[in-house]
Every structure is written in C-alpha cells, then in structure tokens.
Amino acid sequence: MGANLWVALTADSLPFDWPARAGRSVAEHLVDVNLALVQVLLLIGVVALLTRNRTIPDVAARAPGRSLAMRETLVLLGYGVGGLVGAYVLARAFGWHAFGWHVAGSIFGTHAHVVPAEVVTWAGYNLVVYAVLPLLYFRRRYTAEALGLRSSDRRNDLLVVAVVLVLETGFQVLAAQPQLGAGSPGSLLLGAAVTFVVSFAGAVLPAMVFIYAILVPRYLALTGSATTTVILGGLTYAGMHVGDAWAVFTDPRGAALSVAFLLFTYVGPGMVKTYLTLRTGNAWVHVWAYHAFAPHTLLDSSHIASVFRIR
C-alpha cells in the first residue's frame, strides 16, 4: 500500500522501456498491478479449494535439520546473488542487455535490438547456473521426493494444472492482449515452439530448481509458517529478476521505481508458485500451470519470433 501511494504521489511517468504497455498512465499501471495481485489471491483460493481433499505433503520434512537448512539457505542466496553479478558481467562483456531471469523484451516488449546469440546465451547461462549446477549438487544429497520432483497425487496435480492454466491463460489474454503476429500458421507454431524452449531453459527451469525445489522446503523448515514461506518465495522470485533489462538503476528515482515495480510485478506470481509447491509437494506443478505456457509462451512468442526472424 505504501509503495502504491508513493508511486501515485511522486511519479508522473515511468522510465521503463515497455512498448507492450505503451500509452498507459502511471495510475493505469498501478491499477494493472493491483488487479494482478487480486488475481493472485483468487488463484491461491482456487488452489486451496482444489487440494482440500488430498493429503498435503509435509514439505518441511524434506529439508535437513535446522542448522544445515540455514547454512544451505544462506549459501544458496549468496550463490544466487553471485549468479546475477556474473550474468551482468557476461552480458556487458558482449555489449548485450543485462541478464536477469527474463530475456530483454520478455513480457513487456522492448524497443532495443535483441540478437539470437543474446537470447541463446541468456538461456544457457541461466540453465547452467540456476538449474543444472544446483540440481547436480543437491540431487547427490537428497532424493527426488525431497526435492519435490515426483508427484504424490498425479490425478490431483493434473487437475490443479488444468484449472490454473485455463484461468491464468484467460487472465493474460484479457489483461495483456498478447500479439501473436501475422505470419502463417506454421510460422506462428514455430515461433511458439522456439519461445517455449528458450523460456523453459532460461526462466522456467532455473526458477523451479533454485527456488521451488530447493529453497522453499528450507524456508518452511526454518520458519514453520506456510504464510511466511509463501511471502519469502515471492520476495526471492522478485529478487532474482533484479537484472531484468527494463529496470533502471542509473539514478535514484529510476532505481526506486524499478524496485517498486519489480516487487509489484513478481512478488505475486512468486507467491502463487510457492503456494502451488506447498499444497502439492510437486515443484513441477507450477511449471505447467503458471509459468511455461502462460505467461511466457503466450506473451513472448511474437518477440522471440522477431528476434529469430521467424516469418
């Protein structure tokens, strides 16, 4: 609420390169993010309803003892910060946009020129740093069940995926009005397929492994509170997007607005992903229900098709 009030009273414009949201006033942007938060709360309610009759997995029991859980959590968070710094250095070394957990132009669009090598390098870096290496390390020490990589109730998981995916797709279509392009059906299908692959590698798997398979059980074991864990999951998800190319950190005003809109934009989705993981005990559920297809493949296909010149 305080951030909403501060932005409303002090900002008459936003310094972000958001062509997909062009022509909207600051007040309209605030309405958008608050409606998105309402949608987040509604989705959490729907998931609670869909999972009310299943046995809720003991996600906290999958974490190690408190002392080791704390050490692993702190090391992981430090590693995540190091990964963001490394991504920034790598991107700047090639003269590209900053690397975050979204490639430049994702969701919001961009007026800047993005090249295929930039997208492929972004996806490969995030995949290795946040998914492959952490999974190799933790999979040697913990079972697939402990990392939430196996379902304990496939039928209910599929129900949750189907319902949430339909609701989220509908919301994105109504709110964002995605532009799928004007190419042939074949080119549209190819663009969607390429978008799915690069987003899955660069955004979806990194988030699934780093936050939801590994950090979330440790948050729950350390706090003993599902509510606190959901909030921490949302904050972590937002924090890992601090390198997104649209954020402006060259001046105090831009930095403050960037932090505010990073929180507005990503805390809610991060909370939904965390809640889905806690209720199902399956880190894959949010991947299919609320990440890989909607929003990324739905909203980013036109942009990625343009980058790879798919017509």
Side-chain angles (χ1 to χ4, degrees), residues 197-223:
V197 170
V198 297
S199 296
F200 199 77
V204 177
L205 279 180
M208 189 274 279
V209 172
F210 189 75
I211 299 178
Y212 304 102
I214 302 175
L215 276 172
V216 163
R218 285 150 184 79
Y219 284 160
L220 185 58
L222 291 171
T223 65

Side-chain angles (χ1 to χ4, degrees), residues 64-77 218 222:
R66 185 176 182 84
S67 177
L68 180 55
M70 177 63 77
R71 290 200 302 272
E72 288 180 345
T73 298
L74 293 176
V75 169
L76 276 166
L77 292 175
R218 285 150 184 79
L222 291 171

Side-chain angles (χ1 to χ4, degrees), residues 5 50 72 109 152-153 180 182 202 224 237 249 310:
L5 185 60
L50 293 172
E72 288 180 345
S152 62
D153 188 337
L180 300 179
Y237 187 67
F249 292 103
I310 299 171

Side-chain angles (χ1 to χ4, degrees), residues 158-174:
L158 288 172
L159 175 64
V160 171
V161 168
V163 173
V164 173
L165 178 58
V166 168
L167 292 175
E168 176 62 10
T169 300
F171 176 79
Q172 293 295 343
V173 169
L174 290 173

Side-chain angles (χ1 to χ4, degrees), residues 43-66:
L43 278 181
I44 287 175
V46 168
V47 174
L49 183 64
L50 293 172
T51 57
R52 68 191 185 283
N53 293 325
R54 73 179 284 169
T55 300
I56 305 301
D58 188 354
V59 173
R62 298 173 176 180
R66 185 176 182 84

Side-chain angles (χ1 to χ4, degrees), residues 126-187:
N126 282 358
L127 178 66
V128 170
V129 172
Y130 298 112
V132 174
L133 294 180
L135 189 59
L136 285 175
Y137 180 85
F138 281 90
R139 187 64 184 86
R140 293 174 61 186
R141 291 159 175 80
Y142 300 95
T143 65
E145 289 82 3
L147 296 173
L149 302 179
R150 289 183 181 171
S151 174
S152 62
D153 188 337
R154 291 184 181 179
R155 179 174 294 182
N156 189 251
D157 286 352
L158 288 172
L159 175 64
V160 171
V161 168
V163 173
V164 173
L165 178 58
V166 168
L167 292 175
E168 176 62 10
T169 300
F171 176 79
Q172 293 295 343
V173 169
L174 290 173
Q177 299 179 350
Q179 301 298 313
L180 300 179
S184 66
S187 67

